[in-house]
Each structure stands twice: as C-alpha cells, then as structure tokens.
Amino acid sequence: MPSILAHLGLAVLVAAAFGAPVQAQTFDVWPGVAPGSEQARQTEVVSKFPGGPVEVVRNVTRPTLEVFQPEAGTATGAAVIIAPGGGFRYLTMQAEGSEVALALAAHGVTAFVLKYRTLETPADDRTHWRDFFVFMAGAARANGVLNLDEAAVPGIADGLQALTLVRRRASEWNIDPARVGMVGFSAGAKVTSGALLASDPGARPAFAGLIYGATFNDDALPAGLPPVFLAVAGDDHLAAPTVMKFYADAVSTGQQPELHIYAKGGHGFGMNRQGTSSDFWIDDFLNWLQTQRLATP
C-alpha cells in the first residue's frame, strides 16, 4: 500500500536541509480543558506504523501548538498554522508537521504545528491499526466520500482557537496578525477548510493551503475567500475529486485558487520523497507564498 505508507510520513528531510531555526517551544491551545473534552478519559499515545519506524500520535485530547521560528533577521512577519492528517484517528506529526514547519521557517515564515484533537482509538496498537485499515478500505470503496463532519468539529474548533491565540500573541514572535494562514493535510485540510469557511470572516486564516483534502460538504462556497493553494495527486482517489470540486466551486463564485494536480504521488505524500512530481509540492507552495509576499526566496 504505497499511498498509505506515504500518508504515515516516512521522514526523509532533516532540519539541516532547511537551516537551523531556533529550538521549538510548545504551548496549549486552550487555557484549560478543551471545550467538549471535559469527559474524555483516553490517554494520548505515540504509535509506530506496522512494519516501519514512522511514529504517529493518537487519542489527543489536549491540543497544542509547537512553534518553529526563522533565524534572527530572516522573518517576513507571516505565519502558518500546520494541521497534519490521519483520518482524525491519529496525526502524522513529522512529514505533515515538523518537516513542513522547518521548510517554512527556512524561508522566513514562522510555523506552528497544531496537534488537534482526534477520535478515541483503542489503547492496544494492534487493534487500532486493524480498525484503521478497515476504515481506509471503506474510504477507498467510497472514493473518499465519507461523512467526517462530526469527527472534524473538535479539530476545527482547535484550529480557530489556534488562529485566535497566535494573532493575540503575535508580538511575541514578531508576527503580523493580519498575515496568519493555515495549511492542512488530508483530515488536516478538513480542519483548515472549516477555519477557512468560518461564519465570521474575521476568524478565517489570511490564506490557506489545502493539501490532498478540502471541505466535504455540498454547501456553496462564500465569495471573498482569502487566497487558497490546492495540491493533490491525480492518482489519489481519496482526495482528488474533493479538491477539484472545491476548485470548481470557488471558480464558479468568481475566485481563483492556485491548483496543482501532480500525475502521481498517491494520498498522503507530505514531505516524503517518492520519485514523483508530488515531491516538489513544497516548492510550489513556497513559490506561491513568495508571490503573496509572505515568504522569502
């Protein structure tokens, strides 16, 4: 299952490839227990994907942000909150999180990796992965059309709170509060979409990247959305139809997102190197940010 293995973030990029941003710090997204999680009793665990070294985090009930700052004197004032994917069952914190953050920080963008709340999964790893592969098989049969709206609610709330928090504390990181965006992967793209489509335009990110994922509902997109970057592999049967529908709907309302469809890459390519054109999505994203005057060359 090459695409699923890719989705789990086989880490190949290291901090040295992107310079040396200052050591990351982590802080809570909410001042106390996250709303709606007062009765949660599951214990957060780090799991290894079967047959490989890749680690993911699951049973998240305490959302956090990990900060990656550019080197002194290189910051552009822009910031990006990164929402990893994992079907709301776990989070791929490296290839869809910290590795993306390092790439952004190397180009002057302050990056925050969001560890948002996930569904409760079995404490036993073997049972969890069995259930996950059953879920993925169902997603494949449904061509990615699954009702994940309820599962996304806590994550979307965490994303909106993260935006509020980063803007409120922007001076601590030399950030322009008017230039705080989001980028999400797979389920994290659903979280990002939820923030992008918030009923209060002032709560929305200033720009957004939706990577192999987008909103799943049939509601009409509002006019006047912030700038949006879309990326997906053409052979990704889980996400390509959703991403292309988002693009078409946005164009129909007079908007023009940036859309990249790579011939191959499967679902969940993240920062992995697979020898496909999707390997270079991060370059396209950084180029797009530069045209928005958000990142440095």
Side-chain angles (χ1 to χ4, degrees):
M1 284 185 213
S3 61
I4 292 177
L5 287 173
H7 181 57
L8 291 158
L10 300 176
V12 294
L13 297 179
V14 294
F18 300 114
V22 300
Q23 185 174 0
Q25 57 175 303
T26 302
F27 59 92
D28 292 333
V29 170
W30 298 95
V33 177
S37 293
E38 293 83 359
Q39 304 304 316
R41 296 293 178 264
Q42 62 267 35
T43 300
E44 182 177 310
V45 295
V46 174
S47 297
K48 284 191 175 182
F49 182 71
V54 178
E55 292 184 338
V56 301
V57 62
R58 55 190 183 88
N59 285 335
V60 178
T61 60
R62 177 190 164 208
T64 62
L65 282 172
E66 186 176 14
V67 190
F68 294 77
Q69 292 181 264
E71 290 186 16
T74 67
T76 65
V80 174
I81 295 169
I82 302 166
F88 297 106
R89 284 155 174 78
Y90 62 81
L91 300 176
T92 305
M93 297 295 288
Q94 284 76 46
E96 295 175 345
S98 59
E99 292 174 6
V100 181
L102 289 167
L104 291 170
H107 290 269
V109 181
T110 302
F112 299 79
V113 178
L114 174 62
K115 185 169 69 173
Y116 57 89
R117 283 172 286 174
T118 58
L119 294 169
E120 183 175 3
T121 53
D124 175 67
D125 260 4
R126 183 175 297 183
T127 304
H128 158 68
W129 289 117
R130 181 199 65 199
D131 292 351
F132 172 72
F133 285 120
V134 170
F135 163 73
M136 289 298 290
R141 288 192 296 270
N143 291 321
V145 182
L146 296 175
N147 183 8
L148 296 175
D149 289 345
E150 185 175 350
V153 169
I156 292 172
D158 297 341
L160 288 168
Q161 174 66 7
L163 284 164
T164 297
L165 188 59
V166 169
R167 286 167 172 156
R168 184 187 305 147
R169 297 174 57 179
S171 61
E172 296 180 31
W173 301 293
N174 296 317
I175 293 169
D176 179 353
R179 295 199 293 162
V180 181
M182 284 188 74
V183 59
F185 301 80
S186 192
K190 173 66 173 176
V191 169
T192 302
S193 295
L196 184 66
L197 302 176
S199 57
D200 176 9
R204 298 170 183 166
F207 55 94
L210 304 179
I211 316 301
Y212 42 83
T215 182
F216 301 140
N217 59 41
D218 293 324
D219 296 341
L221 295 182
L225 288 178
V228 178
F229 177 96
L230 300 162
V232 70
D235 62 351
D236 179 355
H237 304 300
L238 290 174
T242 302
V243 170
M244 288 187 275
K245 181 180 184 302
F246 184 100
Y247 176 82
D249 289 351
V251 170
S252 72
T253 62
Q255 302 172 87
Q256 190 61 60
E258 178 97 356
L259 173 63
H260 293 262
I261 302 176
Y262 305 102
K264 293 185 181 299
H267 187 70
F269 44 78
M271 293 293 282
N272 301 305
R273 294 290 177 176
Q274 304 181 94
T276 62
S277 54
S278 64
D279 291 356
F280 303 101
W281 78 269
I282 187 63
D283 302 308
D284 293 328
F285 184 54
L286 286 165
N287 289 338
W288 180 76
L289 289 177
Q290 289 171 30
T291 66
Q292 308 288 323
R293 299 187 177 181
L294 297 168
T296 59

